[in-house]
Amino acid sequence: MQPHWIAERMSRIQASGIRKVFDLAKTLTDPINLSIGQPHYDVPEAVKEAAIAAIRAGHNGYTMTQGIPELRQRIAERILKERPGAASDLGKRGLLVTSGTSGGLVLALLTTINPGDEVIIFDPFFVMYPHLVTLAGGVPVCVDTYPRFQIDVDKLKAALTPRTKAILFNSPANPTGAVADRESVQALAELARERNLLLISDEIYRLFTYSGRFVSPLEFNEDVLVVEGFSKTHAMTGWRLGFAHGPAPIIEEMAKLQQFTFVCAPSPMQYAGLAACEYDTSDWTAEYARKRDRLVAGLRDHFEMTEPQGAFYLFPKAPWGTGTEFVTECIRNNLLVIPGNVFSQKDTHFRISYAADDWTIDRGIEVLVRLARQKGPRPD
Ligand code: PMP
């Protein structure tokens, strides 16, 4: 083995800080785990049955790279139902079933980003974004959204250069739980159109919107490239099913690349996806809204925070020390949360996931309040 066998690009891609927390978690006995980025409930029974039936029926081979026609049809119908205005545009738009939302993001960036192209990402950001931009040869350019985590269009404009190619946008957002308001989404979508920038909208938490209504930039700009998936809404994180829709020429290129990389999304899961589309997830949304309220009520008096309106995360400021110092003390107290610098150029905040049962959330609140009062790490 020669060190140079590892490509130079890998030195610019760090292992996810979340993995480090998960490795630490393995050393704790019965930790209070508020670090997980997936629902605490299981895949709906009807969806499991559909997957099993598909496997038994022999849907175990490759599918068309674009995805099975039934699922593409079903997803297209949903998009049309939600966005009736999109009807006239849908002919110009393509739809591709992908291996998770991550698969859609990888294909989207590799298909559109040239070496040296700048891609705007809003800080705090989903962990993958800067690395995927780097993988594609692009340059991630962060636009700070602290402390309210809403888009400031003037700040965004100031970050644009002649090399800016795309904007990567996520609402409801991981790790902040922020939901961009209608005016900001419209301003963002219109700015992208005026400046001929590709707007990529990661809508994976679309159904986890509690206060206000989810607004997609697609409402205001028919050239938006949307990536989405079933991982969070249907607790199918391990099943790797997502989809992307956008301008037909981009989707065609993404399909071409998928043919030579992922080949297709897992076949039985595409059939299960049909059942997932029929499943009403509103009870879960209501349950998570209640969990959000429970956590916020428990921490509000002790932490500086912007109340989240979606996803299943809270991103408070560390009450003392850096995000990493505070999280280290949390872990010493058997509580797993994620330091903010995993998602940000800053190390001032930390992420709590409330995708957990109420008992775990309550134990987490108890530890967090105690540590906030402690005003510093406990001496050994
Ligand atoms: N985008 C965001 C904002 C996410 O939080 C995640 C999962 N944590 C993904 C994409 C990737 O999801 P998937 O399992 O569909 O690849």
Side-chain angles (χ1 to χ4, degrees), residues 273-332:
L274 280 171
C277 288
E278 301 307 321
Y279 193 83
D280 179 3
T281 58
S282 49
D283 283 353
W284 286 334
T285 309
E287 194 184 337
Y288 276 33
R290 200 183 45 69
K291 286 182 188 296
R292 186 259 328 244
D293 293 345
R294 190 182 192 96
L295 184 63
V296 168
L299 299 181
R300 188 185 277 130
D301 294 341
H302 308 272
F303 290 85
E304 219 178 293
M305 66 172 85
T306 297
E307 201 167 304
Q309 295 129 5
F312 32 71
Y313 309 109
L314 179 67
F315 200 63
K317 190 158 189 259
W320 47 259
T322 62
T324 303
E325 283 162 352
F326 183 70
V327 168
T328 305
E329 190 67 3
C330 290
I331 293 173
R332 281 178 60 193

Side-chain angles (χ1 to χ4, degrees), residues 46-312:
V47 181
K48 285 185 191 167
E49 290 303 332
I52 294 163
I55 291 169
R56 294 230 160 91
H59 293 303
N60 299 308
Y62 299 127
T63 70
M64 287 169 69
T65 205
Q66 289 83 353
I68 58 170
E70 303 91 304
L71 182 60
R72 295 179 63 229
Q73 175 66 29
R74 185 68 188 75
I75 296 169
E77 280 165 12
R78 196 209 80 195
I79 297 165
L80 274 181
K81 200 166 129 210
E82 283 172 7
R83 300 159 184 156
S88 56
D89 306 323
L90 218 65
K92 288 186 267 166
R93 289 176 68 82
L95 176 73
L96 174 71
V97 177
T98 57
S99 290
T101 308
S102 311
L105 282 165
V106 170
L107 294 173
L109 290 165
L110 288 176
T111 298
T112 57
I113 302 307
N114 286 315
D117 282 348
E118 292 177 1
V119 179
I120 301 283
I121 55 180
F122 296 98
D123 183 344
F125 43 76
F126 171 46
V127 274
M128 268 183 204
Y129 293 168
H131 300 307
L132 293 186
V133 170
T134 304
L135 176 68
V139 180
V141 174
C142 285
V143 174
D144 189 310
T145 63
Y146 288 84
R148 285 194 57 248
F149 312 123
Q150 288 288 333
I151 295 163
D152 176 337
V153 176
D154 291 328
K155 247 189 199 169
L156 170 60
K157 279 185 188 159
L160 301 180
T161 77
R163 289 180 304 282
T164 312
K165 175 73 166 284
I167 303 171
L168 202 39
F169 170 64
N170 171 223
S171 169
N174 179 4
T176 61
V179 176
D181 58 47
R182 192 174 182 80
E183 293 70 39
S184 321
V185 175
Q186 180 165 5
L188 174 69
E190 287 171 357
L191 180 71
R193 190 177 33 229
E194 276 161 29
R195 303 286 181 101
N196 293 323
L197 300 172
L198 170 67
L199 181 55
I200 304 175
S201 180
D202 179 344
E203 303 185 356
I204 189 168
Y205 294 102
R206 192 180 61 94
L207 294 181
F208 298 96
T209 308
Y210 315 123
S211 343
R213 202 173 65 79
F214 166 74
V215 187
S216 169
L218 181 58
E219 270 188 45
F220 312 101
N221 177 340
E222 71 275 12
D223 280 339
V224 172
L225 177 56
V226 177
V227 290
E228 226 199 90
F230 292 85
S231 282
K232 312 283 170 168
T233 49
H234 296 79
M236 285 162 46
T237 49
W239 287 15
R240 313 311 306 134
L241 190 65
F243 54 93
H245 52 103
I250 296 182
I251 296 291
E252 272 164 36
E253 296 298 321
M254 286 170 65
K256 190 165 85 186
L257 191 57
Q258 174 148 278
Q259 182 77 75
F260 298 129
T261 50
F262 300 97
V263 182
C264 61
S267 168
M269 302 321 167
Q270 293 191 49
Y271 288 90
L274 280 171
C277 288
E278 301 307 321
Y279 193 83
D280 179 3
T281 58
S282 49
D283 283 353
W284 286 334
T285 309
E287 194 184 337
Y288 276 33
R290 200 183 45 69
K291 286 182 188 296
R292 186 259 328 244
D293 293 345
R294 190 182 192 96
L295 184 63
V296 168
L299 299 181
R300 188 185 277 130
D301 294 341
H302 308 272
F303 290 85
E304 219 178 293
M305 66 172 85
T306 297
E307 201 167 304
Q309 295 129 5
F312 32 71

